[in-house]
Amino acid sequence: MSNVRGAIALEDGLVLEGESFGAVGAKAGEAVFNTGMTGYQEVLTDPSYKGQIVTMTYPLIGNYGVNSADAESNGPKVEGFVVREYCPYPSNWTSEQSLSDYLKQHGVVALSGVDTRMLTRRLRTAGAMRAVIAAGDYEPEQLVERARTSPGLIGRDLVSEVTCQNGYDGPNGDGPNGELPPDAPLAVVFDFGVKTNILRSLAHEGFRTRVVPAHATADEVLAMNPDGIMLSNGPGDPAAVPRVVEQLRGLLGKKPIFGICLGHQLLGLAFGGKTYKLKFGHRGSNHPVKDLQTGIIDITCQNHGFCVDIDSLPPGEVELTHMNLNDKTLEGMRHKKLPVFSVQYHPESSPGPHDAGRLFRRFREMIGK
């Protein structure tokens, strides 16, 4: 471990000091917490965490190291990382390097020795806050002032910072019978910050995938003649990307659509609904969600700070299908007439339980009909 000191400062004036195990520097972001016991590498590389400083509530992090197979994108997307205790000596047969080396390699500021339980309680009580994480030379008062003047997430377009700039083909070697045939159904995937396991899950259900950037138009997507359209997860405020919402309206009724997380929120806006910011969001791998049609309860992986307002959706057109059992917020919906459905949680998991993986099969069956 290094002897470089570090701190995280919140906009309310709280400063918690610790020891650096990542890069030296300072970054601003929204302070949030994740309750997962494992999966820290997937959390770090999930583009939905762009703009956020993530605190892990599980006390020991880093014990199984880092490997290339578990990355959900091309590198960490978090603004900073906070843990109670860092394990500098990973022990796992898949480990390729330590978490500390990985974070330094990618320039991510990370702290250990922080009272994460106290920090989490603060965020649960006051809500997610603007913050600055620093390692090296800093003055606590200056960090607090920088946190207070940093941009929040409401109204901020983070999708443009994580989406691909050019389209590309997804994996083609994970079909149910090996490599997918050329006539396998094609799913066009909007990349709002897509996780790799969404593409793997689609391939596993027999889809060829073509990933397109968030700025792709409805006409460009329809010109590819897809069998279905996937709206991916992503970071930030869905209301901050109205151009995307307008393009989605041009796709409704043209092709079957499946939305996940931010994709679900954008669909809610396309349906004419509204979104709002949750107090401290849902982030972790143990969130209970009830299917209102079957009564089945799934334990789900979640990562979002915004939500679709249930009361804002047109009841004659949209049916609520899933509800969060912790706070009764909307977790899923479908259009009553069009082949369109979406969920707020992450059925592809990574990390987390695989309870909801069947939704990719449902998407395939919808296209088959």
Side-chain angles (χ1 to χ4, degrees):
M1 290 287 290
S2 72
N3 293 317
V4 178
R5 71 185 188 120
I8 178 170
L10 304 182
E11 63 177 295
D12 69 353
L14 176 68
V15 178
L16 296 174
E17 294 198 302
E19 186 175 356
S20 169
F21 70 98
V24 172
K27 292 293 289 289
E30 182 184 59
V32 300
F33 60 89
N34 182 292
T35 58
M37 294 176 66
T38 62
Y40 53 79
Q41 184 180 351
E42 292 92 332
V43 168
L44 288 166
T45 55
D46 181 349
S48 298
Y49 279 112
K50 180 65 179 174
Q52 296 180 324
I53 299 169
V54 179
T55 297
M56 300 299 291
T57 62
Y58 191 71
L60 180 64
I61 299 295
N63 51 312
Y64 56 85
V66 172
N67 68 75
S68 54
D70 287 343
E72 286 298 314
S73 66
N74 60 359
K77 297 298 183 290
V78 301
E79 305 302 328
F81 198 51
V82 181
V83 307
R84 178 67 185 94
E85 180 181 353
Y86 167 64
C87 176
Y89 306 108
S91 177
N92 189 281
W93 68 275
T94 65
S95 178
E96 297 171 4
Q97 65 182 136
S98 71
L99 176 58
S100 176
D101 289 344
Y102 181 71
L103 294 173
K104 291 175 181 176
Q105 174 186 332
H106 290 278
V108 178
V109 180
L111 303 179
S112 66
V114 176
D115 187 345
T116 53
R117 182 167 64 174
M118 184 265 201
L119 178 56
T120 299
R121 288 172 65 90
R122 189 75 160 237
L123 297 176
R124 281 183 60 88
T125 301
M129 283 186 269
R130 292 174 296 174
V132 171
I133 186 171
D137 294 328
Y138 61 86
E139 292 297 331
E141 297 79 8
Q142 294 177 356
L143 296 184
V144 172
E145 182 59 28
R146 180 175 171 183
R148 289 172 176 166
T149 57
S150 64
L153 294 192
I154 295 179
R156 184 177 170 192
D157 173 14
L158 290 173
V159 171
S160 60
E161 297 185 34
V162 296
T163 187
C164 62
Q165 295 306 306
N166 299 294
Y168 62 92
D169 293 325
N172 189 35
D174 191 33
N177 298 308
E179 189 165 326
L180 298 167
D183 60 348
L186 173 65
V188 168
V189 181
F190 271 92
D191 176 16
F192 305 131
V194 66
K195 291 171 63 180
T196 299
N197 209 44
I198 288 180
L199 304 180
R200 291 197 203 103
S201 298
L202 288 169
H204 185 70
E205 288 301 324
F207 284 100
R208 293 178 295 123
T209 53
R210 177 67 180 176
V211 182
V212 297
H215 55 259
T217 67
D219 288 341
E220 288 170 344
V221 171
L222 292 174
M224 300 177 191
N225 193 28
D227 296 281
I229 298 169
M230 165 67 71
L231 310 179
S232 84
N233 63 295
D237 185 352
V241 286
R243 180 184 176 280
V244 173
V245 175
E246 189 60 34
Q247 295 306 312
L248 295 186
R249 290 193 178 116
L251 293 171
L252 293 176
K254 306 290 180 59
K255 297 288 181 178
I257 298 176
F258 177 18
I260 291 175
C261 197
L262 181 65
H264 160 84
Q265 297 163 12
L266 293 171
L267 268 180
L269 295 174
F271 287 153
K274 299 178 181 179
T275 55
Y276 65 97
K277 196 173 189 299
L278 293 166
K279 184 176 181 180
F280 48 79
H282 301 156
R283 298 176 184 87
S285 305
N286 60 346
H287 291 258
V289 169
K290 183 175 183 178
D291 186 324
L292 301 178
Q293 297 171 309
T294 65
I296 293 174
I297 297 173
D298 289 333
I299 304 302
T300 67
C301 170
Q302 302 213 8
N303 172 21
H304 64 106
F306 290 82
C307 190
V308 177
D309 183 352
I310 291 177
D311 297 326
S312 70
L313 295 169
E317 299 178 16
V318 181
E319 178 183 3
L320 311 183
T321 59
H322 295 77
M323 178 174 289
N324 189 300
L325 293 183
N326 286 334
D327 59 8
K328 310 303 180 185
T329 53
L330 180 64
E331 291 282 357
M333 60 187 178
R334 72 176 182 89
H335 198 280
K336 292 183 177 181
K337 299 177 182 178
L338 305 176
V340 181
F341 76 102
S342 63
V343 292
Q344 179 61 78
Y345 51 94
H346 287 257
E348 81 288 346
S349 61
S350 291
H354 298 270
D355 294 24
R358 63 182 179 277
L359 293 178
F360 292 97
R361 192 169 306 114
R362 176 182 168 187
F363 185 42
R364 176 69 186 265
E365 292 170 351
M366 173 187 286
I367 290 173
K369 293 178 181 179

